[in-house]
């Protein structure tokens, strides 16, 4: 396939150049991948005839409303792919399903919009996203849901007693804050930049939208706080832990505000790894940081060890991937890394759902497969066209979109 592209005829180059520019600059292109596989003929950039199916209508609607796509994607990863929220309710109790969906969007969606806007408006890099992701995790799991503190919280399990000290479930806290930082906040922003490449450095909400997001996150957190109070009755983390949590959140926000804009700036280089290696490395993050605590608890290992290992594993995997990504011609690598990050969550959610009879998790898994396939095919074809353009030697023909990683 690459050979066919590399041997483009001189007569076809002007037309190819126009197609390349359209292919590169189309802000909604991820939803309109070409159907034809014959790359020796002009690439059919125009969308194929639109189907009247419900899926096609949904796709057309989402590509016209990128902010809605982000709002649906954000809770979809940590809640519905992982089976933390039950898709079965869509059939059993639709009103409750949509009520919980609205709550998840108000929580996760507001958080990711605020952090993405901070990254863009403050001109910060990915380090700021991960630090603010930790702050978001404390808001959700500490101030709203109390899972960072309550040893009897349902999802905490034996980690409520293993490593519990001074009122904090430390092993659970470290692993969960890493999860929220990467999967609840960082990954949706990362994927949004791949789906809408022209928007990855642009604000998508006004100041009014920011105020609405702050209000939504606040109201959602208060309602969850009241719900937790009703569920767990006598348990109360106490004012000291709440004040301490608020202080940590404030410190993280101020630290991000003062963080240099070029902190961990990526070098202008080609990727050091192929897409497959990025996928493998990405797939290691979830099991190494989320399963370490449970394994250590069962083996009777001192809780300080899994806490330290979680932080080391996360830092090594993310920094290695960051440094190997490069800033040029790395779109396939980004797709591979994002698919690798998502895959273990899909497997975990599927296994968990079988145990509780939530077989509709297959629907979420199917969306993941279709989305990943569409994302890969589009960037793979862009990469082939880009390589062919470089081999033709025409000035400016082979320039790539601005990299997602600053």
């Amino acid at each position: 396939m690459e050979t066919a592209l590399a041997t483009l005829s001189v007569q076809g180059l002007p037309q190819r150049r126009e197609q390349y520019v359209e292919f590169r600059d189309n802000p909604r292109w991820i939803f309109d991948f070409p159907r034809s596989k014959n790359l020796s003929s002009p690439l059919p950039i125009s969308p194929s005839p639109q189907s009247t199916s419900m899926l096609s209508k949904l796709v057309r609607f989402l590509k016209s409303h990128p902010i809605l796509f982000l709002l649906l994607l954000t809770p979809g990863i940590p809640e519905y792919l992982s089976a933390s929220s039950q898709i079965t309710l869509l059939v059993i109790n639709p009103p409750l399903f949509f009520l919980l969906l609205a709550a998840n969007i108000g929580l996760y969606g507001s958080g990711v919009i605020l952090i993405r806007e901070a990254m863009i408006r403050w001109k910060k890099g990915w380090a700021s996203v991960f630090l603010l992701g930790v702050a978001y995790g404390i808001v959700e799991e500490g101030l709203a849901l109390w899972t960072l503190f309550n040893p009897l919280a349902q999802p905490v399990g034996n980690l409520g007693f293993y490593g519990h000290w001074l009122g904090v479930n430390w092993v659970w806290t470290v692993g969960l804050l890493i999860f929220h930082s990467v999967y609840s906040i960082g990954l949706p922003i990362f994927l949004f930049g791949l789906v809408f490449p022209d928007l990855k450095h642009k604000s998508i909400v006004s100041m009014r939208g920011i105020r609405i997001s702050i209000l939504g996150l606040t109201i959602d957190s208060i309602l969850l706080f009241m719900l937790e109070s009703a569920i767990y009755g006598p348990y109360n983390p106490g004012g000291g832990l709440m004040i301490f949590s608020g202080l940590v959140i404030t410190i993280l926000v101020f630290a991000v505000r003062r963080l240099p804009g070029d902190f961990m700036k990526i070098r202008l280089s080609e990727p050091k790894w192929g897409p497959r290696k990025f996928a493998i490395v990405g797939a290691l993050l979830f099991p190494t940081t989320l399963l370490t605590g449970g394994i250590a608890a069962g083996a009777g290992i001192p809780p300080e060890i899994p806490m330290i290992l979680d932080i080391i594993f996360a830092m090594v995997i993310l920094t290695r991937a960051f440094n190997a990504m490069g800033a040029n011609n790395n779109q396939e690598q980004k797709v591979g890394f994002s698919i690798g990050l998502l895959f273990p969550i899909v497997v975990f959610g599927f296994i968990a759902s079988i145990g509780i009879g939530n077989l509709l998790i297959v629907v979420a898994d199917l969306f993941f497969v279709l989305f990943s396939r569409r994302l890969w095919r589009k960037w793979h074809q862009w990469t082939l066209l880009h390589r062919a353009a470089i081999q033709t030697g025409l000035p400016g023909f082979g320039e790539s979109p601005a990299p997602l990683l600053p």
Side-chain angles (χ1 to χ4, degrees):
M1 189 173 288
E2 289 90 337
T3 303
L5 279 170
T7 56
L8 294 172
S9 64
V10 175
Q11 292 82 1
L13 288 177
Q15 185 179 13
R16 296 278 179 172
R17 183 183 181 89
E18 293 177 1
Q19 292 168 346
Y20 173 86
V21 172
E22 183 181 359
F23 194 72
R24 180 194 66 196
D25 296 336
N26 180 6
R28 300 172 297 182
W29 57 260
I30 190 61
F31 296 102
D32 298 321
F33 63 83
R35 302 283 180 176
S36 173
K37 296 183 179 180
N38 182 14
L39 296 182
S40 61
S41 61
L43 284 171
I45 303 301
S46 300
S48 57
Q50 296 177 336
S51 169
T52 57
S53 68
M54 183 175 297
L55 180 60
S56 297
K57 292 179 180 178
L58 176 62
V59 167
R60 292 197 299 272
F61 183 76
L62 289 178
K63 70 183 181 182
S64 301
H65 301 81
I67 189 171
L68 181 59
F69 171 82
L70 181 61
L71 289 174
L72 292 176
L73 174 68
T74 302
I77 295 172
E79 288 294 327
Y80 297 100
L81 277 181
S82 68
S84 295
S85 291
Q86 300 296 315
I87 301 181
T88 310
L89 291 174
L90 181 60
V91 175
I92 299 176
N93 192 339
L96 180 59
F97 172 83
F98 286 108
L99 178 64
L100 293 176
L101 176 62
N104 283 328
I105 290 176
L107 195 65
Y108 291 97
S110 298
V112 80
I113 286 177
L114 291 173
I115 292 174
R116 185 182 182 276
E117 290 298 312
M119 176 190 183
I120 293 172
R121 292 170 184 251
W122 295 350
K123 297 180 171 56
K124 304 298 181 179
W126 280 96
S128 66
V129 173
F130 294 131
L131 289 176
L132 291 175
V134 172
Y136 167 82
I138 297 174
V139 171
E140 177 181 338
E141 303 291 346
L143 300 181
L145 297 176
W146 300 351
T147 67
L148 302 188
F149 315 125
N150 188 358
L152 300 178
Q154 187 272 331
V156 179
N158 63 349
L159 295 185
F161 303 94
Y162 175 71
H164 185 86
W165 183 62
L166 295 179
V168 179
N169 305 321
W170 288 104
V171 177
W172 168 264
T173 295
V174 171
L176 195 60
L177 292 184
I178 292 173
F179 176 84
H180 278 303
S181 178
V182 176
Y183 293 97
S184 300
I185 302 298
L187 188 54
I189 296 174
F190 190 81
L191 287 169
F192 184 81
L194 286 171
V195 174
F196 297 98
D198 72 318
L199 296 178
K200 60 179 171 284
H201 296 306
K202 297 180 180 179
S203 173
I204 57 175
V205 297
S206 61
M207 282 303 300
R208 181 184 179 187
I210 292 178
R211 295 189 188 98
I212 292 175
S213 298
I214 294 174
L215 181 63
L217 182 60
T218 303
I219 293 176
D220 217 324
S221 298
I222 292 174
L223 291 177
L224 287 172
F225 176 88
M226 295 171 61
L227 180 62
E228 292 300 303
S229 301
I231 292 176
Y232 293 109
Y235 174 80
N236 191 319
L241 282 176
M242 300 304 244
I243 294 173
F244 175 72
S245 299
L247 180 62
V248 173
I249 293 169
T250 303
I251 291 173
L252 287 170
V253 173
F254 274 101
V256 168
R257 197 70 180 93
R258 297 180 64 86
L259 201 65
D262 59 352
F263 182 74
M264 291 182 64
K265 186 176 182 179
I266 224 166
R267 292 176 300 190
L268 296 176
S269 61
E270 299 289 325
K272 298 178 182 178
W273 304 338
R276 183 176 299 178
K277 185 172 182 178
F278 272 102
I280 294 173
V281 171
L284 294 175
L285 183 63
F286 183 80
T288 54
T289 57
L290 267 295
L291 301 182
T292 304
I295 295 173
I301 298 173
E304 295 83 3
I305 293 179
M307 290 167 56
I308 295 172
L309 288 179
D310 279 351
I311 296 173
I312 291 175
F313 286 148
M315 291 183 64
V316 169
I317 291 173
L318 292 174
T319 54
R320 287 279 292 170
F322 182 86
N323 292 328
M325 187 75 70
N328 298 325
N329 311 324
N330 57 5
Q331 285 75 21
E332 284 185 317
Q333 283 75 11
K334 292 175 183 176
V335 175
F337 188 56
S338 61
I339 293 175
L341 289 171
L342 284 167
F343 181 75
I345 298 180
V346 174
V347 174
F348 174 84
F350 183 76
I351 294 174
S353 296
I354 292 177
I356 60 177
N358 182 22
L359 298 182
L360 280 181
I361 190 68
V362 176
V363 175
D365 294 343
L366 179 61
F367 272 105
F368 161 73
V369 172
L370 293 176
F371 173 77
S372 300
R373 179 174 178 268
R374 187 181 292 263
L375 194 64
W376 169 257
R377 285 185 61 186
K378 196 64 185 190
W379 276 121
H380 180 61
Q381 291 202 1
W382 183 93
T383 301
L384 293 180
L385 187 58
H386 174 76
R387 290 173 183 169
I390 292 177
Q391 293 180 23
T392 63
L394 287 178
F397 187 75
E399 63 186 26
S400 64
L404 179 62
L405 296 175

